[in-house]
Structure formats: C-alpha cells, structure tokens
Amino acid sequence: MPLALTQLADLAALPFDEVIDVRSPAEFAEDHMPGAINLPALSNEERARVGTIYVQEDPFKARKIGAALVSRNMAAHLEGPLADREGSYKPLVYCWRGGQRSGSVAIILKQIGWRADTLEGGYQAYRRLVSKALYDGTMPCPVVVIDGGTGTAKTRLLHHLAAQGAQTLDLEAMAAHRGSLFGPISEAQPSQKAFESQLAMGLAALKPDCPVYVEAESSKIGRLIIPPALWQAMIAAPNLRLTAPLQARVTHLMTAYPDMLEDSAKLADVLSQLTRYHGHETVQQWQALAQARDFAPLIQALVTTHYDPRYARISRGHAPAAKEIALQDLSEDTLAATAADLIAAE
C-alpha cells in the first residue's frame, strides 16, 4: 500500500533502507526528496519521446514502448547500483505523481523479493508539504538575526552557535552563495525548489521552545528568493549587530574568499561590476591592486568605500531594534565565547 506522507518531520523516521527517485535525471537535478538516489525509469530523452507518442500518437503505444524502456533501464540498475543489496532490502520508490513509473519499478523490485513501497502522490505530494511550510505556514520558533557589516564573521559565529547546540539555519550554505557581489560559493546555485527543500527540512527539525539563529540577508541570496514564512519572521526578528576592528575584518575576508583571490579573471570581472557605483578611476585603482595581488589594501578599500556605506543605508531602518555586540577580534576563541554568551542569555 502506498505510503502517505503527512508532514516533513516524518521523513527522518521513515522505515525504509533507501529512497529511490525514478524520475528522469533532469527532474531529479531540479529537486528531490532529501537523501534520495536517482535510478531513472526513463532517461531525459526517453521520457520526452514516450510523452510525445502518448500525446500525438497513441497512449497504448506509448505505454508499450515505455514498459520496454523501463525494463531495460531497471536491468542496468539491478546489475549496477542495486547489485549489492541484500534480501531484506526495503526501498521507498517515488516518481512525479506516484503513477506508472514508480509503480512499474516497485513491481519489479517486489518480484525479486524486496519489500518495496511507493510514495502516494509521488514528488508532487512532497512538494506540496514544502510549499505549505514555506508559503502558507509560519516559523515554528522565534528567530534571531545575526547582523553586521561585511567581514564581521557572521557566518563563523553562526557555526560556533551550531557547534554549541543552538538552533541555526545556514541560508548561505543552502543557497551556495555568500550573499554579496563576491558571494558565489560554487559554479551554480541550486534551483529555487532545491533551496526550498533544504530550508523546509531545516524548519521541520526545529524545536519550538528555542530560538533559531540566521544570518542577515536581503530577500534574495544570489538569485534565490527567501520564502515568506522565513522572510517575514526575519524582518520582525531582533537583530544582533556585530562590530569588529577594521584590520580584523580585512584578515577575516582574506580567508573567507580564497576562491575569489585565487581566480584573477573572476575577481577582475566582479570588480568591473562596481564601476557604476564608484566610477572608472576608482575601480581601475582596485583592479591594479588585484593584479598586483595586493589584497589587504584592496579589501580594506572595498569595505570602507563600498560595503560599509551600503550597509549603513540598509541598516538604518533596523537600528532601534538592534543590539550591538562589539567583538575585540575575530579569533575562534572570541567567537566561541560570544556564542556561549548568546546561548546562556536565551
């Protein structure tokens, strides 16, 4: 009997050895259930071909061709990724809406003797729960925002809070972006749906009687939008505003952006995007520092000329609600002690 998923929190305790997503690789790449592996019943091209035949020619012909393709693909999966599974193996199988693809795969797995089951409603059922949590629901616990100028080690403080047992949501890690012009962490951010999956699962794990700490962001991190349930809570949340000596911030930023400092072409491209804010002459001076690999004065100039003035304008509206935390330095000891103080004050 298909499994009915009623809340995201149940995913962590599902009685299955593995979750198998049998949708096409393209569907899986856009988003999938947490921890699922992709064993496609149909490839991207095969799915398109069968769908075209179903719509333009004959549904029966499409099902017959589809069955042949699924059988061939499952043979490859059984001889490959599933070859070492034991007789007690119990997988949960899902497709787009819990229809023919997952049903066909589950039948084959059951005939082998494995205790396979399908997800009622498939990925669409899971996605509805994600959307409900992020677009229709509210935050399950209070939110505290860690704010501060560029280079005040907000992310590192967040990690210290998590290491000491506090509830945190690392939005920049989920979005693969550090929330600024210099921010991409990898070549590509996840899709909006994949970002929301990570975020929804993070919310599902939160305890209602403890605050969750998040880093201050705009409504978008790179190209990804923070969904309303969290964004509205962040707007209304108390702010902890970090300050630190300029040199400590510069030193921190030199270690926080190694990818940018190592890739001269990437750095030059990002700096060129600042021309509209600061003019050609200033940006050319910054480009010269970058080419000479004289990074400390470059970073100091960016902080004092670009980032701090922008932060001052943005944060003005939140000033009355902000509690300032003046850090004497940005050492691990200082950040750990600050995290401990925040947790003790909860």
Side-chain angles (χ1 to χ4, degrees):
M1 182 176 179
L3 172 76
L5 187 64
T6 58
Q7 57 182 6
L8 293 173
D10 292 341
L11 284 174
L14 288 179
F16 295 94
D17 298 321
E18 202 159 38
V19 178
I20 301 176
D21 185 324
V22 299
R23 297 176 303 154
S24 68
E27 293 172 292
F28 182 82
E30 182 182 24
D31 185 33
H32 50 269
M33 288 175 57
I37 63 169
N38 187 212
L39 300 181
L42 298 171
S43 69
N44 298 331
E45 297 76 14
E46 290 166 348
R47 177 171 174 260
R49 176 191 170 199
V50 171
T52 300
I53 294 171
Y54 188 95
V55 173
Q56 297 182 2
E57 296 184 39
D58 177 26
F60 174 75
K61 180 181 178 181
R63 285 194 290 268
K64 185 167 64 172
I65 292 173
L69 293 170
V70 170
S71 297
R72 292 192 192 106
N73 291 331
M74 282 308 300
H77 297 327
L78 290 168
E79 293 171 346
L82 299 178
D84 63 349
R85 303 303 190 270
E86 301 292 339
S88 60
Y89 182 53
K90 187 177 181 181
L92 176 67
V93 182
Y94 74 90
C95 60
W96 179 250
R97 56 177 177 268
Q100 290 185 330
R101 283 185 288 178
S102 59
S104 300
V105 170
I107 288 173
I108 294 172
L109 299 182
K110 287 178 180 178
Q111 289 301 310
I112 294 171
W114 288 330
R115 296 175 295 162
D117 210 339
T118 58
L119 177 66
E120 184 179 305
Y123 168 81
Q124 286 187 325
Y126 161 74
R127 177 62 194 172
R128 281 193 292 271
L129 292 178
V130 171
S131 296
K132 181 180 179 181
L134 299 179
Y135 289 88
D136 300 326
T138 58
M139 284 296 294
C141 66
V143 174
V144 177
V145 173
I146 300 175
D147 204 349
T150 296
T152 50
K154 298 182 290 293
T155 301
R156 285 170 58 204
L157 177 59
L158 195 73
H159 293 168
H160 277 284
L161 285 163
Q164 295 184 39
Q167 296 191 133
T168 63
L169 290 172
D170 191 341
L171 302 179
E172 294 185 355
M174 294 179 188
H177 198 284
R178 286 166 296 217
S180 73
L181 192 63
F182 293 85
I185 295 173
S186 60
E187 289 300 316
Q189 290 186 270
S191 70
Q192 180 70 30
K193 286 184 177 180
F195 171 62
E196 290 175 1
S197 275
Q198 294 184 73
L199 180 54
M201 292 308 300
L203 298 190
L206 295 176
K207 301 173 183 177
D209 54 346
C210 297
V212 60
Y213 295 89
V214 300
E215 188 172 340
E217 307 288 350
S218 65
S219 60
K220 294 178 68 176
I221 307 176
R223 60 173 176 77
L224 300 178
I225 299 169
I226 298 177
L230 176 57
W231 178 241
Q232 294 301 322
M234 288 173 66
I235 292 174
N239 280 33
L240 304 175
R241 184 163 300 162
L242 307 183
T243 63
L246 178 58
Q247 278 310 120
R249 296 166 64 189
V250 170
T251 301
H252 163 70
L253 288 169
M254 289 185 69
T255 61
Y257 291 80
D259 55 315
M260 191 66 65
L261 301 185
E262 291 166 5
D263 190 335
S264 57
K266 183 178 179 182
L267 178 57
D269 179 63
V270 174
L271 289 173
S272 68
Q273 297 177 48
L274 297 176
T275 302
R276 58 177 173 164
Y277 301 110
H278 304 287
H280 289 282
E281 183 177 349
T282 297
V283 172
Q284 285 173 359
Q285 293 172 2
W286 294 345
Q287 293 281 21
L289 289 171
Q291 290 170 11
R293 301 188 64 80
D294 202 358
F295 294 129
L298 169 61
I299 293 172
Q300 181 167 323
L302 288 170
V303 168
T304 56
T305 306
H306 179 71
Y307 281 109
D308 277 359
R310 287 172 63 84
Y311 175 74
R313 290 194 298 271
I314 293 170
S315 63
R316 225 170 261 136
H318 298 287
K323 174 186 176 183
E324 184 172 309
I325 299 178
L327 303 173
Q328 61 182 6
D329 57 53
L330 296 176
S331 67
E332 299 300 338
D333 287 345
T334 295
L335 293 173
T338 302
D341 291 341
L342 292 174
I343 293 171
E346 289 179 4

